[in-house]
Amino acid sequence: DQGVITGQFSRDEAESLAIQMRYGELPVPLKVVDVRSISASLGQDSVRSSVIAGFIGMGAVFLFMLFMYRIPGLLADLALVLYIFFNLAIYKVMPVTLTLAGITGFLLSVGMAVDANILIFERLKEELRSGRSPRLAVEAGFSRAWPAILDSNLTTLISCAVLYVFGNQFGASIVKGYALTLGIGVLLSMLTAVFVTR
């Protein structure tokens, strides 16, 4: 059995497509029952739905931080707004094409940015409960949360690097966009969570 890939592809793109098609092949004969063309508007609808879901999720995160941590939560929300603007600015400068996988990486990085703030604020609460003054509690909270933030973000960055470097090797180049946006977001989240919120 042989197949031919036609269209406006480079040789590398055709080989990548062939790998993707072979990746899940089963040793059974294939019989074409129906062929349909799907318009580009379906992809637009998916992106639009993902963006709406992202706004809803980010709104929920903002409210959670505000209700759980009050004034520090409000500061974290402001830092998160800056984080989002910085992120989008980097996407514009690089430039980064936001596919569905890229949008997913961006939204996951927003969650990780909030995770760093939660670690800091929980440490801050512990320091205040132990009787420290607010200023000392803030200093101790940030310094004691930093190792956990660094470790969790470093492991994520290693995963992003592996996905990005080997994304094309196995015909799964879509993960490169995910890895890129997540990696950029994780680096920015460390800066905004630790320095901007502080």
Side-chain angles (χ1 to χ4, degrees):
D1 295 330
Q2 291 185 344
V4 177
I5 298 173
T6 60
Q8 296 180 6
F9 298 103
S10 69
R11 182 168 180 80
D12 289 340
E13 290 170 332
E15 287 175 1
S16 176
L17 185 59
I19 291 170
Q20 287 176 350
M21 292 168 64
R22 282 196 307 266
Y23 185 67
E25 72 180 337
L26 296 172
V28 294
L30 178 66
K31 180 181 174 187
V32 177
V33 176
D34 189 23
V35 176
R36 295 183 189 186
S37 294
I38 298 173
S39 70
S41 63
L42 182 63
Q44 280 181 330
D45 291 341
S46 297
V47 169
R48 189 179 307 110
S49 297
S50 297
V51 169
I52 290 170
F55 278 122
I56 292 169
M58 283 190 280
V61 166
F62 282 113
L63 289 174
F64 172 81
M65 292 302 288
L66 190 60
F67 288 126
M68 283 296 293
Y69 298 104
R70 296 177 194 85
I71 298 298
L74 177 63
L75 295 175
D77 285 346
L78 294 174
L80 201 54
V81 168
L82 281 176
Y83 162 79
I84 291 168
F85 283 126
F86 290 154
N87 230 331
L88 295 177
I90 287 175
Y91 295 166
K92 188 72 173 168
V93 169
M94 283 186 75
V96 173
T97 302
L98 282 178
T99 60
L100 284 175
I103 292 169
T104 303
F106 168 69
L107 293 175
L108 183 58
S109 71
V110 170
M112 295 188 73
V114 171
D115 181 49
N117 281 306
I118 290 172
L119 286 171
I120 291 166
F121 295 156
E122 288 300 323
R123 279 294 198 173
L124 177 66
K125 281 183 183 179
E126 289 175 13
E127 297 299 325
L128 287 171
R129 273 188 233 124
S130 70
R132 288 186 189 248
S133 70
R135 181 175 174 75
L136 290 175
V138 167
E139 291 299 319
F142 275 88
S143 64
R144 290 188 177 171
W146 174 245
I149 293 168
L150 183 63
D151 288 349
S152 66
N153 287 327
L154 193 59
T155 55
T156 303
L157 287 172
I158 291 168
S159 299
C160 289
V162 169
L163 287 173
Y164 190 83
V165 169
F166 295 107
N168 281 339
Q169 300 297 320
F170 304 105
S173 59
I174 195 167
V175 300
K176 285 183 77 171
Y178 171 79
L180 181 63
T181 55
L182 181 59
I184 290 169
V186 167
L187 287 171
L188 272 176
S189 74
M190 286 194 290
L191 293 173
T192 56
V194 174
F195 298 109
V196 174
T197 306
R198 189 174 200 165

